[in-house]
Amino acid sequence: MANSIEDAVDRALEDAPERNFRETVDLAINLRDIDLDDPNNRVDESIVLPAGTGQDTRIVVFAEGETALRAEEVADDVLDSDDLEDLGDDDDAAKDLAEETDFFIAEESMMQDIGRYLGTVLGPRGKMPTPLDPDDDVVETVNRMKNTVQVRSRDRRTFHTRVGAEDMDAEDISDNIDVILRRLFTDLEKGPQNIDAVYVKTTMGPAVEVPA
């Protein structure tokens, strides 16, 4: 399967018209024979890409004390309890933060307050923080999430996720796609039979079908 995926990626990269910006490479997945009105059937996965996303991933950490100090080394922003309370009082600022941020991480002890202050903003966007246990290394967690994408169908049969950037090797992009497809095969009730078609494309380029 890997070789056929790489062939499709090669074609997508070759067929992409030249642009004056660095394009992402995206995967479009079409599902079939699945009732997405039932939330239990929906795809909602955080997947670590072996070759990375090829893009900057913005990560915000909610933490205090030593964990906050360590998080400042690697996270885009670190917010404490006072910041959280301020966001709870400013709906527009909370929404802006949610839109600008790819992933949130929070110390487990702060999760209840995050639910109270930001649950109505982060929950519907699928951006509630990943809890950080006391034994977890915040630096390691942030670095892992920088290579993570969210694969989420919601109630749509067609959905998209980022799998790389146009200047990455086709082999690396195909490795990322392979990992995503294998996870979907495991998650979906009928495995590969629930996948109607898969396409890879650059931001502005034509879609090329990927054998799934």
Side-chain angles (χ1 to χ4, degrees):
M1 183 169 71
N3 286 341
S4 53
I5 293 174
E6 190 173 341
D7 289 343
V9 173
D10 272 329
R11 283 179 53 207
L13 293 175
E14 288 169 6
D15 293 349
E18 283 196 24
R19 302 287 174 183
N20 58 1
F21 63 93
R22 184 171 181 253
E23 294 187 80
T24 61
V25 178
D26 301 313
L27 198 68
I29 299 148
N30 300 330
L31 300 179
R32 67 181 175 196
D33 300 331
I34 189 167
D35 179 14
L36 294 176
D37 289 333
D38 181 352
N40 292 322
N41 291 333
R42 296 175 187 173
V43 176
D44 190 357
E45 289 282 355
S46 295
I47 301 178
V48 180
L49 301 184
T53 66
Q55 298 287 317
D56 289 334
T57 300
R58 180 173 168 78
I59 296 174
V60 171
V61 176
F62 290 99
E64 311 262 32
E66 178 66 24
T67 301
L69 289 174
R70 296 203 67 220
E72 285 174 1
E73 302 170 16
V74 289
D76 292 279
D77 204 358
V78 180
L79 306 176
D80 61 18
S81 295
D82 290 339
D83 297 321
L84 176 56
E85 200 167 333
D86 290 343
L87 285 167
D89 293 332
D90 189 339
D91 205 41
D92 287 339
K95 288 177 180 176
D96 287 344
L97 180 68
E99 294 302 326
E100 294 166 0
T101 304
D102 294 295
F103 294 107
F104 292 93
I105 298 169
E107 285 189 286
E108 201 170 44
S109 59
M110 297 180 71
M111 287 296 291
Q112 187 170 348
D113 283 342
I114 289 168
R116 180 157 58 114
Y117 289 119
L118 296 179
T120 56
V121 173
L122 300 183
R125 291 169 171 79
K127 290 190 176 181
M128 285 298 288
T130 296
L132 191 71
D133 296 332
D135 294 336
D136 290 341
D137 183 337
V138 66
V139 174
E140 183 182 305
T141 302
V142 169
N143 285 333
R144 182 179 71 249
M145 295 197 78
K146 284 182 177 178
N147 293 324
T148 297
V149 291
Q150 195 72 28
V151 181
R152 183 181 290 122
S153 68
R154 295 190 174 90
D155 59 354
R156 300 188 304 267
R157 287 184 179 272
T158 299
F159 56 100
H160 305 80
T161 189
R162 185 171 66 198
V163 291
E166 64 175 348
D167 55 359
M168 289 174 61
D169 289 340
E171 183 178 357
D172 288 339
I173 296 171
S174 66
D175 286 345
N176 288 343
I177 293 172
D178 187 51
V179 165
I180 290 171
L181 292 180
R182 289 179 189 278
R183 179 73 70 86
L184 290 176
F185 294 164
T186 301
D187 286 353
L188 294 168
E189 184 182 6
K190 298 178 182 176
Q193 294 178 352
N194 283 133
I195 294 181
D196 187 36
V198 178
Y199 297 91
V200 61
K201 67 185 292 295
T202 61
T203 309
M204 305 295 287
V208 177
E209 187 164 2
V210 176

